[in-house]
Amino acid sequence: MARDITEDIPLNIGNPASLGLWSNSQESYDVAIGGMPFFLAVSNEEPYRRETAPYRKDQFDNANEPGEQSLTGWWIRSQQSFHGGTGIKFYDPAAGEVSAYRFKDSQGVDVFTAGQVTLLKKMNQGHNTTGALTAYGHPNQHLRSIRNSSTNLLLLHDEYDVDKIPAAGTPPVHFIDYNAGTSEAVYAICDDGVNAYWVTNQVAGAANKMHLFKKPLTGDTGTGVTYPAVTGDVTLMFTATGTVVTTAVMEFVKDRIVACINNAVYEMSPTAAALPTATYTNPNVNYRYTSITASGPAIYTAGYSGMYSSIQKYTLVTGTGAMPTLSSAIVAAEFPPGEIVHKIMYYLGYMVIGTSKGVRVALVNDQDGSLTYGPLIVETTQPVFDMCARDRFVWCTTSINGNPGLTRIDLSNEIGSNTLRFAYANDVQVGDVTGKSTTACAFIGESNQVAFTTNQGYVYVEDPTVLVESGYVTTGAIRYGTLEPKNFKFICARGLYSSGSMDIQTVDTNGNSYDVITYNSLSSQQEAATLSPSGSQESLSYKFILRRDTTLTSTGPTFKGYQLKALPATKRQRLIQFPVWCFDVETDRYDVKTGYEGRAWERMQTLEDLEAAGDIITYQDFTTGERVQVLIEKMQFTRKSPPSGRFDGFGGVLTIIVRTVL
């Protein structure tokens, strides 16, 4: 198309299209979009419109059961149970088992009854313990569940002493008393339900050597009796010339005593009269054994050398007409360098493994006893030295917020599918006892009262009735699956509050807590406004603090779940609809003419290309001074005759709808 030098240039050379901006110079345009200027064509038939763009989609419910997704209006989030355990940062139920029924943190509460949270029992301080951690980092305390006739007891091994600890607040019964300075400590002890067996060193025949003793669990030290004298009901089973105990661990498994003395593994009967030939001697003289357990097809030992730790497996080999004996050791599992295995326990088809890093669970093959262990379930600040079990649960010695306590694992609730990760939560603990390790744990006889010990501290026994004064559960950060800000408005907690009370707090992303409401026997379970923190939040957690009854200390509240309401606080977008003239030749209000033949078609094609690209462009309104970033939502061109002498050539009205994005 021919042009002469008297025609206007198509675009202002001071506004290159790449910048997407327009500045009026000679002409006085009304608006510009993507750097292209237009005159407004506003009329009653073609109005200028602004409205709020839709900012949320309608909820769609395709679940078998109606739920929160079937509600309209509020953004709802609720939780009816916490039995999935702790360990999540964000509560997004859509993630399934990974977060459903789980929470961020708890203390002093029992979460493992589906549909309710209650306070745990308090721990009473009992008999003192004297042993520190050994030079090898092993505990000097070991607890065993025993029963004398109808009496439930604990057998406490603490360095030089072994005592029987009753459930009630009565004094302990001294079972073995050795004197520091004149006797060596008890290195290891086990029992078969009737007798206790222990190893120590004593001088005999002018040489220090290993001694193995046994004694009925019904006995005591007797008046004025101090071991190592063999007296009363104590039986010296044998001495082992040439063997001096440095480290030892013993267990009664599969009707035999398995003892790991220094770097050798022995099996012997409860009536052994001599130390048998070692079943296996580790070629590494520095290897130290830490634990023994047994599954159906095998017996296992755990130990370490330096920073390397392993579990060894021994299968049973049947001899003709004799009791099956153990085979030699096979390495069943090796652990990452620096992770030391301190305790192994076979339970409910799994092997629970306590290490210097936390707790793992291994699947045990019921044919050959091979192990497949999973990731760390619980990561701890102290080694997991011991564990005990009841029903579907395993209690592990850990630290809870710097204080001694136990972590409970639910082996019936695997998180995910075939992950070997199980629900867990903080359990019983004692407060204000920092600087101590939780060294051993066991249940008192056949009862459900758990106990644990600390190094150079005490035995702590679960009270049969009295609850802890308070406990809490904190939800994961609730964000509704999006990082957009929300206005958290209301919360309502369901439960029974006739005894004790429950406080509700909000917790922001910095860990700051704000009081919301207190439920008790005088207040109904009303919906409470969330006033703090002020303003919209990306996410928010809720903390529920349960407090026991001030009069009847065996009762407290039962928390059953909560529901909260929020609204999206996303910055609202605007839909702006404006009609503009789009002709080849146009004249502004000051009779300044601009354009050329074909200009209208070029501008329409350019806008259609911008629309197709779906990119952000700039919208300028020179009548109001507005400049915003927008996306083109829709364009419509209606070809019309020029309305007056100001316009000429091909063209019509171009109606553009844009959505603001910033």
Side-chain angles (χ1 to χ4, degrees), residues 161-480:
D161 295 328
V162 178
D163 297 318
K164 293 190 291 186
I165 310 296
T170 55
V173 176
H174 297 285
F175 188 70
I176 304 170
D177 282 333
Y178 284 181
N179 283 337
T182 60
S183 303
E184 292 199 40
V186 174
Y187 286 90
I189 191 168
C190 68
D191 74 275
D192 60 5
V194 176
N195 295 303
Y197 307 85
W198 70 93
V199 293
T200 186
N201 294 320
Q202 289 185 19
V203 175
N208 197 30
K209 60 189 69 174
M210 169 191 161
H211 285 56
L212 178 65
F213 295 94
K214 74 176 178 179
K215 177 179 178 176
L217 291 173
T218 55
D220 58 39
T221 59
T223 304
V225 175
T226 301
Y227 296 99
V230 179
T231 182
D233 54 4
V234 175
T235 300
L236 173 61
M237 296 175 63
F238 60 79
T239 62
T241 301
T243 301
V244 178
V245 182
T246 303
T247 60
V249 60
M250 299 171 63
E251 283 294 342
F252 186 83
V253 293
K254 294 189 179 296
D255 297 324
R256 73 200 71 198
I257 298 170
V258 176
C260 300
I261 310 297
N262 302 334
N263 66 321
V265 179
Y266 303 89
E267 64 166 328
M268 60 193 82
S269 76
T271 59
L275 182 66
T277 301
T279 300
Y280 173 72
T281 300
N282 197 301
N284 183 350
V285 296
N286 296 312
Y287 195 89
R288 296 186 177 91
Y289 288 94
T290 56
S291 187
I292 302 167
T293 193
S295 70
I299 292 174
Y300 307 86
T301 60
Y304 70 98
S305 175
M307 62 187 295
Y308 297 99
S309 190
S310 63
I311 296 174
Q312 296 168 339
K313 179 185 70 169
Y314 309 79
T315 55
L316 299 179
V317 178
T318 302
T320 304
M323 176 180 286
T325 58
L326 294 183
S327 67
S328 187
I330 300 171
V331 175
E334 292 182 307
F335 291 81
E339 184 174 358
I340 306 303
V341 179
H342 288 277
K343 180 69 176 182
I344 53 177
M345 184 180 71
Y346 177 77
Y347 192 63
L348 299 179
Y350 298 103
M351 181 182 289
V352 186
I353 306 167
T355 77
S356 57
K357 301 294 185 181
V359 181
R360 298 179 186 265
V361 172
L363 185 65
V364 181
N365 186 295
D366 59 6
Q367 299 299 316
D368 62 4
S370 59
L371 303 178
T372 303
Y373 71 79
L376 284 168
I377 298 172
V378 185
E379 295 187 48
T380 59
T381 57
Q382 69 148 78
V384 178
F385 293 121
D386 201 8
M387 54 190 69
C388 57
R390 278 288 188 275
D391 188 24
R392 65 185 194 271
F393 302 110
V394 174
W395 283 257
C396 306
T397 57
T398 58
S399 175
I400 299 177
N401 297 327
N403 294 305
L406 303 178
T407 296
R408 193 189 330 182
I409 299 173
D410 184 355
L411 290 180
S412 71
N413 189 357
E414 190 170 9
I415 305 301
S417 178
N418 300 318
T419 63
L420 291 176
R421 296 171 59 239
F422 296 86
Y424 72 95
N426 294 331
D427 207 75
V428 292
Q429 71 165 98
V430 290
D432 301 324
V433 184
T434 58
K436 302 291 184 182
S437 295
T438 314
T439 50
C441 65
F443 284 89
I444 302 175
E446 296 177 350
S447 76
N448 290 322
Q449 285 178 261
V450 73
F452 61 80
T453 62
T454 62
N455 55 310
Q456 294 181 311
Y458 297 92
V459 179
Y460 296 94
V461 179
E462 184 180 17
D463 195 281
T465 59
V466 178
L467 303 177
V468 295
E469 291 185 0
S470 66
Y472 67 82
V473 58
T474 303
T475 71
I478 297 168
R479 57 181 179 176
Y480 293 94

Side-chain angles (χ1 to χ4, degrees), residues 84-166:
T86 188
I88 61 169
K89 292 183 178 180
F90 297 99
Y91 179 55
D92 292 330
E97 295 179 2
V98 175
S99 63
Y101 308 124
R102 300 186 72 192
F103 54 92
K104 181 181 179 182
D105 185 32
S106 71
Q107 184 172 309
V109 293
D110 179 2
V111 300
F112 286 111
T113 300
Q116 69 177 42
V117 177
T118 55
L119 291 170
L120 292 164
K121 304 291 197 313
K122 66 173 292 191
M123 300 298 290
N124 295 320
Q125 179 179 301
H127 187 50
N128 68 297
T129 57
T130 61
L133 296 180
T134 70
Y136 305 118
H138 303 165
N140 263 309
Q141 292 77 40
H142 302 88
L143 286 176
R144 305 184 70 85
S145 304
I146 63 171
R147 185 176 174 86
N148 284 354
S149 182
S150 60
T151 304
N152 291 315
L153 298 167
L154 292 167
L155 190 67
L156 166 66
H157 166 215
D158 179 29
E159 202 172 22
Y160 291 87
D161 295 328
V162 178
D163 297 318
K164 293 190 291 186
I165 310 296

